[in-house]
Amino acid sequence: MENTIDQICTEALREIETAKSKDSLNSISVKYLGRKGIVTQFLRNISKLPPGERPKAGEKANEIKKFLEKAFEDTANRLYSQSLEAHDFIDVSLPGRSALPGSLHPITRITREICDIFIRMGFDIAEGPEIESDYYNFEALNIPKYHPARDMQDTFYVSDNIVLRTHTSPVQVRVMEKCKPPVKVIAPGKVYRSDSDITHTPMFHQVEGLMVGENISFGNLKGILTNFVHLMFDEKTRLRFRPSFFPFTEPSAEVDMLCVMCRGNGCRICSQTGWIEVLGAGMVHPAVFENVGYDTTKITGFAFGIGVERITMLKYGIDDTRKFFENDLRFLRQF
Amino acid sequence: MKVSLSWLKDYVNIEMDVQDLASALTMAGLEVESVTNTFGYLDNVVVGRIVEISPHPDAEKLKLCRVDAGNSTVQVVCGAPNIAENILAPLALPGTLFPDGSTLQTCYIRGQASEGMLCSKRELELGDDKSGVMVLSGAPETGTRISVALSLSDFVLEIGLTPNRSDCLSVLGIAREIAAIQKQKIKYPVKQQPDRNNDIQKYTSVRIEAPDHCPRYAAALVTDITVSESPFWLRKRLMSIGQRPINNIVDITNFVMMECGQPLHAFDFNLLAENRIVVRTAEKGETFVTLDQKERILDPEMLMICDGEKPVAIAGVMGGLNSEIANSTKRVLIESAYFNPLSIRKTSKKLGLSTEASYRFERGIDPLGTVNALVRAALLMTEIGNGKFTGGVIDENPLVHDVVPIKLSISQTGRLLGIEMERENIKSCLESIEFDVENTDADTLKVTPPSFRVDITRSVDLMEEAARLYGYNNIPTTMPFIHAETIPPLKTLVLRDKIKNIMTGLSFMEAINYSFINESSCDRLRLLSNHTKRKLLYILNPINDEQRVMRTSLIPGLLETMRRNLSQQVRNLKLFEIGNIFLSRGQETLPEEVEMVAGLWTGDRYNSAWYAKDAGCDFYDIKGIVEGLISGLNINNIRFTKMPFELCCYTKQGYTAQVTIEDMPIGLVGEIHPDVLRNFDLKQRAFIFELNCNTILDLTNRAKTSKLLPKYPYTTRDITVIISKDIEAMSILEKLNSYGEKLIENTQLFDIFEGDSVPPGKKSVSVRIVYRSAEKTLEDNEVNGIHITITNRLLREFDASLSA
Ligand SMILES: [Zn+2]
């Protein structure tokens, strides 16, 4: 019986060799391995052998079955590669014909990210003109003419009473003039200062924030801004609030975050201090509330201003603000 | 504001390390911007031992010294009389930057190399002695840095003061803050009273004619003084904070100003006509020569200090050359005044002249500090200048300074800060900075700020002081409870975001250009003289000519961007920008701000792809972008009509379309005019569009309603007509649509052809009409009937013929 299976195998291999097409190979395959095929029959007959011979014969027959299956597969592949279909293919490595997407300016991206965070916290968005009257840009914000605080910002003048807004804070005043408290609003936009070097461009972007109501506290200001920085950077970013001065807020604070580059050890980015100033903030000065007719005995609120370029530089590791407005395609393409 | 650690230590004990001090000050609101080692300039000066002295072959008074510098032995040419073998002296090595600004280099003195310099105390600013080299005692090792050998250690802190903290524009002011941080008391210089006798009245007088400008003027007289160089300690104090010593009298006035914040001025009393002072405003057109030898033109708002005849100083800003302290000066009148901050600021701004004095006056000095500073300076002059303090001072005080107590509510402080602050806590914070605090009732404190805290006027100022000293970082971080009510999103913002998303989807890159442009851009864009885009708003103080006017179009910015990119060999650009333009309504009113979106396409249609031949983009590429953008905004009925030739300026005539939606012009699309390309130094064709977002916004506020989808099949018929070349192809479609045939569902152009079989001056236009009924499947003969009627009408109205 052992001889027989070897003979079957030899015969099968010889027939496979003669196959010239997929079809003829198929019929040979059916002849041997099909449901009624010779090998299949042989396997069924093993049960008729004396019990002592069955395992060995079964093992051998199965081995040969596998061997033949492999031989059929290889021959099928060989026949296929010789056929015409095999020459019908395309170079799938070539680039696709779809247009590449453009890109948003990094400032737009980060402004959107900032706004999204505050919108999720319940803030609305407001906008105001880029060219402002002296009143909205200064006076209403408790910065009278000839006040030394005017030196804090280098102003572009159009005339004595018209300026390019130096901050987005005038939007605070415009919003409060129109709406009764509570107010919770952010105001993104372009601002201008006559300053130009590696860290200053004469035009840049800010996002102003304002939250006014009953019992809005400095603790709340810390809460909102901490939440913001954690979402913008990461949960572990440490913050510190440092006393400062803005005429339209009191108490005023400068907010530093632990340097993202050196984690507080001191590096070039943070001028060796370990801290990076990211925004200015404070409780709205009662004089500002008085200017918009809010009741200072009932209403408190906070305001803050975020420099978009600053955040963008930290997020993307950009070292020169002027790059933002040169619009070099090789730069823009990276975002 | 610069202040040295050693000077601070005159008034307050400082146990903290200098870096800890810097961060403590920063966290108290006095931001320390830098800490520098005062003796950094001595880094290249080491202990040297003179090993051998030999005569200089070509100079009798000079000697050649071989000096052991630790690691090496150098030759030094030296002429000091006190050199001797084996003495130790400071040896400056090449590279040393001396306090006088010079740098030491290896040099040849009469042919002999000098590889260093043995220094006197004076040369190193370590003392007055300049008679010979500084001989070091003890046994410091050679080569040791001199700062180590002499245990020299001092630091200068540079503090970025906010404009409200004028009280800290002095060493005492900073020391006060440090004392508060350390919960200590400050040691003020001993306050001395002037002599009881009032001899000064015999010699001089002060008359204030402009009390609004000058609420207080004090003066003292010191006679028999000797003007000379200041002693070492005084020079060192001034130099440590970057002040140049001049002479003992001037140095004393500067020292006292730096110490207590009160600017002083010293006049040569003998040069004051009639030996008296008159404080008055200037006369119109009056001129005056200040100490810096510049002639200043005055105006009647400027306050002047005058003698019996003429001005001798611009009050609070700068003294005059005519009464300057000179070596011959024998009698000095010292001025210590309180000037109106606004008056000084206006004068300083008008003259473009800011000095240490004006800086302090305009921020507000201590109104009660004048006499103290005056006496301090006068007594120093008697000590250092050998002068005699004429008894008494003049203190013209026409306006009395009122210190008004402020009521502070403890509960409101807690409410604003978000932390329950104990009464005692608030009290101790405020008392630590010399505020006078009294209890009134259960919730109220009566607080009187010291006279030098001119920034404290209302209760919120006190809350800030309490919070600052309590520590912002000790206030708990909490979240507000806010009303959930919200308002609809800003439509401008929604539209802007949509446009940005669509444009990037159309593979355009967003650019942001400056809002200001060069005034010449209007000419470079070939704008007609009456063009609205010539309504320029000028910046009075631009940084440069490139940024002199506000932009009235986004196109110059995009063209400049194109030029910059071409110069970087990036020649395929698809850019867009969205932003405001500014149309002037006169310099005295706010301009009209209009939001625009503009796009620019230059270079290839495809970025050199394997599937397409290199082909430059053209008008229809950029037009397709505009169509894509507008349809992405869900706006229909967009029309492109030929821009009349006379209205084309920066775009090429015949290659420009006006874009309208429902007869509202919203902008243009076209090819940049070759002259404009040349004007912007561009050597490549460019196609642009510029659309008005404000107008688009008005068109987008339409509700969308869904329509039923058709149930029955459509059938199509084509027409090819030969028409005059002048007729715009789209007008055929418009005409077809205008017939109001209900069964026409859609029309489209599918071929345009000129030349060969088409007669000259004509073109062949092929149109496909899609017919469909909402009620039934259309029969061929029904469609044919309608189609023939329409075709004939079209041929008639366009004077056209069917193609052969
Ligand atoms: Zn760092």
Side-chain angles (χ1 to χ4, degrees):
Chain A
M1 185 136 180
E2 272 179 37
N3 280 343
T4 332
I5 187 71
D6 281 336
Q7 279 163 10
I8 292 169
C9 181
T10 316
E11 184 61 16
L13 287 176
R14 195 190 54 76
E15 278 193 56
I16 288 170
E17 202 65 24
T18 64
K20 286 282 175 285
S21 72
K22 211 174 146 189
D23 287 344
S24 58
L25 185 69
N26 259 343
S27 57
I28 301 165
S29 167
V30 170
K31 180 177 167 192
Y32 287 91
L33 298 176
R35 223 150 39 86
K36 291 176 180 163
I38 298 169
V39 175
T40 319
Q41 287 296 335
F42 183 89
L43 274 163
R44 278 196 198 127
N45 289 337
I46 288 177
S47 60
K48 292 172 189 158
L49 292 175
E53 293 178 23
R54 283 180 209 168
K56 202 178 172 195
E59 198 181 323
K60 171 116 199 213
N62 271 318
E63 233 170 65
I64 289 197
K65 187 186 173 207
K66 273 189 195 143
F67 175 76
L68 286 177
E69 278 168 354
K70 179 83 176 36
F72 277 114
E73 198 186 312
D74 290 348
T75 311
N77 286 340
R78 182 171 50 79
L79 286 176
Y80 175 74
S81 63
Q82 289 164 357
S83 74
L84 273 178
E85 296 155 62
H87 295 285
D88 183 18
F89 63 87
I90 56 167
D91 181 351
V92 295
S93 74
L94 285 172
R97 209 171 273 133
S98 76
L100 289 171
S103 66
L104 289 172
H105 195 281
I107 293 295
T108 295
R109 279 178 186 279
I110 295 296
T111 306
R112 280 187 180 181
E113 248 185 84
I114 295 171
C115 291
D116 282 350
I117 292 171
F118 286 106
I119 288 168
R120 275 182 276 144
M121 291 197 258
F123 286 78
D124 298 313
I125 300 191
E127 291 188 320
E130 291 173 32
I131 310 249
E132 267 292 7
S133 63
D134 187 86
Y135 177 77
Y136 283 108
N137 197 72
F138 294 121
E139 298 265 347
L141 291 163
N142 198 27
I143 318 172
K145 272 221 157 80
Y146 293 106
H147 193 282
R150 289 216 175 186
D151 291 350
M152 291 169 83
Q153 302 169 351
D154 298 315
T155 310
F156 281 121
Y157 284 90
V158 168
S159 64
D160 266 357
N161 281 310
I162 308 284
V163 301
L164 272 57
R165 68 173 176 193
T166 54
H167 44 194
T168 39
S169 310
V171 185
Q172 280 182 34
V173 181
R174 289 182 175 272
V175 167
M176 286 193 283
E177 277 180 348
K178 261 190 271 164
C179 314
K180 287 202 177 81
V183 168
K184 42 191 172 37
V185 76
I186 52 166
K190 290 184 174 129
V191 299
Y192 305 89
R193 290 186 200 172
S194 61
D195 212 345
S196 188
D197 59 41
I198 185 161
T199 51
H200 299 92
T201 46
M203 177 183 90
F204 56 101
H205 296 77
Q206 279 187 342
V207 175
E208 186 80 8
L210 176 72
M211 182 178 278
V212 175
E214 289 177 24
N215 297 318
I216 299 293
S217 70
F218 190 81
N220 295 159
L221 166 66
K222 288 183 67 180
I224 293 282
L225 292 180
T226 305
N227 196 184
F228 163 70
V229 172
H230 283 176
L231 290 172
M232 197 73 209
F233 294 92
D234 75 67
E235 288 283 318
K236 289 186 205 89
T237 310
R238 264 180 58 209
L239 284 188
R240 72 174 191 191
F241 290 75
R242 167 161 69 70
S244 188
F245 170 75
F246 307 108
F248 42 98
T249 54
E250 184 152 35
S252 301
E254 209 101 56
V255 185
D256 300 337
M257 67 177 206
L258 203 68
C259 179
V260 285
M261 303 294 161
C262 65
R263 290 274 155 202
N265 295 323
C267 68
R268 196 177 55 85
I269 304 291
C270 58
S271 352
Q272 309 306 326
T273 60
W275 294 93
I276 294 178
E277 195 179 305
V278 281
L279 49 93
M283 301 306 292
V284 179
H285 198 286
V288 178
F289 283 149
E290 284 157 11
N291 286 336
V292 297
Y294 278 12
D295 181 351
T296 54
T297 60
K298 290 204 184 109
I299 295 302
T300 54
F302 61 74
F304 56 84
I306 303 171
V308 180
E309 276 76 3
R310 187 105 179 112
I311 303 277
T312 311
M313 291 168 92
L314 292 172
K315 284 283 272 191
Y316 294 136
I318 298 166
D319 57 358
D320 182 349
T321 48
R322 290 170 296 199
K323 277 188 188 157
F324 288 125
F325 308 112
E326 281 166 3
N327 300 306
D328 187 319
L329 205 74
R330 297 164 303 173
F331 173 75
L332 295 178
R333 215 181 260 144
Q334 299 169 14
F335 302 98
Chain B
M1 171 76 196
K2 278 184 181 171
V3 60
S4 76
L5 190 63
S6 60
W7 196 347
L8 283 169
K9 283 180 176 171
D10 284 354
Y11 318 111
V12 63
N13 275 325
I14 300 173
E15 276 131 32
M16 282 180 274
D17 155 55
V18 68
Q19 291 300 341
D20 292 343
L21 176 69
S23 75
L25 282 170
T26 297
M27 293 313 289
L30 281 72
E31 189 182 0
V32 177
E33 289 169 343
S34 69
V35 176
T36 45
N37 180 354
T38 316
F39 296 107
Y41 66 98
L42 294 178
D43 281 358
N44 274 327
V45 184
V46 299
V47 175
R49 177 193 300 278
I50 301 176
V51 183
E52 189 190 331
I53 300 176
S54 51
H56 189 292
D58 295 314
E60 214 170 289
K61 288 185 177 163
L62 296 177
K63 297 275 192 304
L64 298 182
C65 305
R66 286 184 16 87
V67 184
D68 168 13
N71 291 335
S72 59
T73 304
V74 297
Q75 171 169 292
V76 174
V77 179
C78 184
N82 66 335
I83 50 172
E85 283 176 8
N86 283 322
I87 64 164
L88 293 165
L91 171 69
L93 296 169
T96 300
L97 182 66
F98 287 105
D100 69 3
S102 62
T103 309
L104 182 69
Q105 283 165 340
T106 300
C107 59
Y108 289 86
I109 300 172
R110 299 237 178 156
Q112 294 297 319
S114 186
E115 300 163 304
M117 181 173 147
L118 293 164
C119 306
S120 68
K121 274 193 179 177
R122 179 59 198 259
E123 279 159 339
L124 298 178
E125 280 303 336
L126 295 175
D128 273 328
D129 190 355
K130 50 188 171 188
S131 63
V133 301
M134 177 180 181
V135 180
L136 302 171
S137 53
E141 258 186 65
T142 56
T144 315
R145 274 190 190 175
I146 198 79
S147 53
V148 175
L150 296 175
S151 311
L152 299 171
S153 166
D154 195 10
F155 293 91
V156 171
L157 286 77
E158 176 139 32
I159 299 173
L161 283 177
T162 53
N164 57 325
R165 293 307 302 273
S166 58
D167 63 299
C168 287
L169 288 167
S170 63
V171 183
L172 273 172
I174 309 278
R176 246 181 334 241
E177 288 288 318
I178 297 172
I181 291 166
Q182 300 188 134
K183 302 195 179 357
Q184 284 177 358
K185 285 259 174 289
I186 181 174
K187 296 171 286 180
Y188 280 103
V190 183
K191 285 184 187 171
Q192 277 156 304
Q193 293 302 314
D195 277 351
R196 295 226 166 226
N197 85 53
N198 243 341
D199 281 356
I200 186 170
Q201 308 282 0
K202 291 184 210 157
Y203 301 102
T204 185
S205 68
V206 171
R207 196 167 92 231
I208 302 177
E209 292 180 354
D212 290 348
H213 291 271
C214 175
R216 186 168 191 179
Y217 195 103
L221 195 57
V222 182
T223 59
D224 301 298
I225 55 138
T226 312
V227 176
S228 65
E229 183 177 59
S230 293
F232 172 67
W233 71 265
L234 179 54
R235 286 204 322 270
K236 191 178 141 189
R237 282 279 178 257
L238 292 177
M239 286 177 68
S240 72
I241 57 166
Q243 292 251 314
R244 194 170 52 90
I246 295 168
N247 59 46
N248 52 359
I249 302 305
V250 175
D251 292 352
I252 286 167
T253 60
N254 284 334
F255 172 80
V256 174
M257 171 172 72
M258 287 301 167
E259 180 179 68
C260 65
Q262 168 71 53
L264 302 174
H265 189 69
F267 297 99
D268 185 328
F269 189 60
N270 290 353
L271 296 177
L272 297 179
E274 301 170 20
N275 289 143
R276 65 192 185 99
I277 292 288
V278 178
V279 184
R280 62 157 172 91
T281 48
E283 271 144 41
K284 195 163 192 281
E286 205 174 347
T287 59
F288 181 67
V289 180
T290 40
L291 276 174
D292 54 3
Q293 313 199 341
K294 285 193 180 127
E295 189 177 68
R296 311 276 174 177
I297 299 163
L298 309 174
D299 79 35
E301 286 212 65
M302 295 177 182
L303 185 69
M304 302 301 295
I305 308 301
C306 309
D307 60 14
E309 291 168 356
K310 59 183 186 300
V312 289
I314 301 176
V317 182
M318 194 178 269
L321 206 55
N322 58 10
S323 55
E324 194 186 11
I325 302 295
N327 287 340
S328 57
T329 300
K330 291 285 168 233
R331 294 194 292 171
V332 168
L333 180 128
I334 315 168
E335 162 198 292
S336 180
Y338 178 87
F339 297 118
N340 179 324
L342 196 63
S343 164
I344 301 302
R345 182 160 170 88
K346 282 184 175 171
T347 304
S348 157
K349 283 270 151 186
K350 278 184 201 155
L351 294 174
L353 179 61
S354 178
T355 58
E356 293 280 355
S358 71
Y359 193 82
R360 284 168 176 75
F361 281 124
E362 67 185 37
R363 276 161 176 71
I365 59 163
D366 180 357
L368 301 185
T370 49
V371 174
N372 272 337
L374 185 64
V375 174
R376 173 108 169 113
L379 290 172
L380 281 172
M381 285 182 199
T382 61
E383 271 174 43
I384 293 166
N386 296 318
K388 281 196 196 123
F389 187 177
T390 306
V393 296
I394 288 175
D395 185 11
E396 281 294 305
N397 186 11
L399 299 178
V400 180
H401 173 75
D402 289 323
V403 184
V404 190
I406 303 164
K407 278 186 186 155
L408 178 65
S409 154
I410 292 164
S411 61
Q412 285 204 19
T413 306
R415 196 173 70 117
L416 185 79
L417 302 180
I419 182 175
E420 297 272 318
M421 260 184 103
E422 305 267 327
R423 169 190 295 270
E424 284 312 310
N425 222 328
I426 297 177
K427 241 178 125 172
S428 73
C429 283
L430 295 177
E431 280 170 347
S432 75
I433 45 172
E434 304 183 25
F435 285 46
D436 186 54
V437 189
E438 269 177 66
N439 290 320
T440 47
D441 62 53
D443 186 49
T444 319
L445 296 172
K446 200 171 98 182
V447 183
T448 312
S451 60
F452 49 80
R453 286 305 300 268
V454 293
D455 57 320
I456 306 292
T457 56
R458 45 198 302 172
S459 64
V460 68
D461 299 326
L462 300 172
M463 296 180 193
E464 179 175 56
E465 289 304 297
R468 176 172 82 83
L469 294 161
Y470 182 74
Y472 282 4
N473 293 316
N474 295 324
I475 295 172
T477 297
T478 53
M479 273 299 182
F481 293 98
I482 53 163
H483 291 253
E485 167 185 42
T486 183
I487 55 166
L490 266 190
K491 285 176 182 149
T492 46
L493 205 77
V494 173
L495 176 68
R496 189 182 314 141
D497 277 350
K498 255 191 201 168
I499 292 176
K500 287 185 181 184
N501 291 346
I502 295 170
M503 289 308 296
T504 52
L506 292 168
S507 82
F508 274 58
M509 303 274 192
E510 188 191 6
I512 300 180
N513 285 293
Y514 287 127
S515 299
F516 6 73
I517 53 173
N518 192 318
E519 191 183 354
S520 73
S521 300
C522 290
D523 291 337
R524 290 197 280 166
L525 288 181
R526 302 172 74 241
L527 297 179
L528 298 171
S529 57
N530 59 351
H531 201 285
T532 32
K533 293 190 166 152
R534 289 234 182 225
K535 289 200 239 165
L536 297 176
L537 191 71
Y538 290 83
I539 296 167
L540 294 183
N541 53 333
I543 290 180
N544 55 44
D545 279 346
E546 291 301 310
Q547 305 178 343
R548 184 175 294 279
V549 299
M550 297 307 287
R551 63 184 177 186
T552 53
S553 163
L554 303 185
I555 300 302
L558 288 177
L559 292 176
E560 293 288 353
T561 293
M562 173 176 163
R563 190 178 47 75
R564 278 194 299 271
N565 275 288
L566 292 184
S567 73
Q568 297 298 332
Q569 297 170 296
V570 180
R571 53 174 301 272
N572 294 324
L573 293 168
K574 287 191 249 182
L575 294 166
F576 79 101
E577 177 167 14
I578 183 161
N580 286 359
I581 60 165
F582 306 83
L583 302 172
S584 174
R585 291 189 270 228
Q587 294 287 112
E588 302 296 330
T589 35
L590 297 184
E592 186 188 353
E593 295 188 18
V594 185
E595 186 160 27
M596 303 291 283
V597 55
L600 177 144
W601 191 339
T602 185
D604 295 338
R605 178 170 301 148
Y606 304 106
N607 276 345
S608 50
W610 59 272
Y611 50 79
K613 287 209 186 84
D614 277 357
C617 61
D618 65 17
F619 175 84
Y620 298 105
D621 287 312
I622 193 85
K623 183 182 170 187
I625 296 299
V626 175
E627 289 167 329
L629 171 62
I630 295 299
S631 107
L633 295 170
N634 292 324
I635 300 174
N636 304 315
N637 308 325
I638 184 170
R639 287 191 65 204
F640 295 83
T641 47
K642 187 159 123 193
M643 184 75 85
F645 277 24
E646 65 276 16
L647 295 184
C648 293
C649 34
Y650 46 93
T651 50
K652 204 166 142 186
Q653 296 158 341
Y655 290 79
T656 305
Q658 186 168 46
V659 185
T660 53
I661 295 169
E662 294 173 9
D663 297 331
M664 283 264 262
I666 62 161
L668 59 79
V669 53
E671 178 173 357
I672 290 288
H673 195 285
D675 288 352
V676 175
L677 289 180
R678 207 167 308 123
N679 294 342
F680 281 86
D681 199 15
L682 298 168
K683 297 202 169 72
Q684 183 174 309
R685 292 167 78 194
F687 299 85
I688 57 102
F689 69 84
E690 190 173 27
L691 309 174
N692 181 321
C693 296
N694 295 14
T695 321
I696 294 175
L697 188 63
D698 295 336
L699 297 161
T700 51
N701 300 331
R702 309 269 165 90
K704 280 241 140 192
T705 49
S706 146
K707 283 186 211 138
L708 283 178
L709 297 178
K711 282 184 195 150
Y712 301 99
Y714 64 82
T715 174
T716 62
R717 294 290 183 280
D718 295 348
I719 324 173
T720 297
V721 293
I722 310 288
I723 52 170
S724 162
K725 201 184 150 184
D726 301 339
I727 299 171
E728 289 181 340
M730 280 307 279
S731 61
I732 294 177
L733 296 191
E734 281 166 15
K735 189 63 89 179
L736 283 171
N737 293 331
S738 75
Y739 293 164
E741 174 50 61
K742 286 200 182 96
L743 294 181
I744 295 184
E745 186 185 69
N746 191 11
T747 54
Q748 61 212 57
L749 279 172
F750 70 91
D751 192 33
I752 306 281
F753 183 71
E754 285 174 43
D756 270 7
S757 56
V758 181
K762 304 267 182 182
K763 62 184 170 190
S764 135
V765 177
S766 300
V767 179
R768 176 159 300 159
I769 305 178
V770 180
Y771 295 95
R772 187 186 332 237
S773 159
E775 279 108 35
K776 57 178 183 178
T777 303
L778 290 173
E779 302 287 336
D780 268 2
N781 50 5
E782 196 180 349
V783 175
N784 290 347
I786 297 167
H787 189 67
I788 288 166
T789 316
I790 285 177
T791 308
N792 289 335
R793 193 171 166 188
L794 198 68
L795 292 176
R796 209 169 45 244
E797 289 179 12
F798 279 98
D799 192 17
S801 57
L802 285 174
S803 76

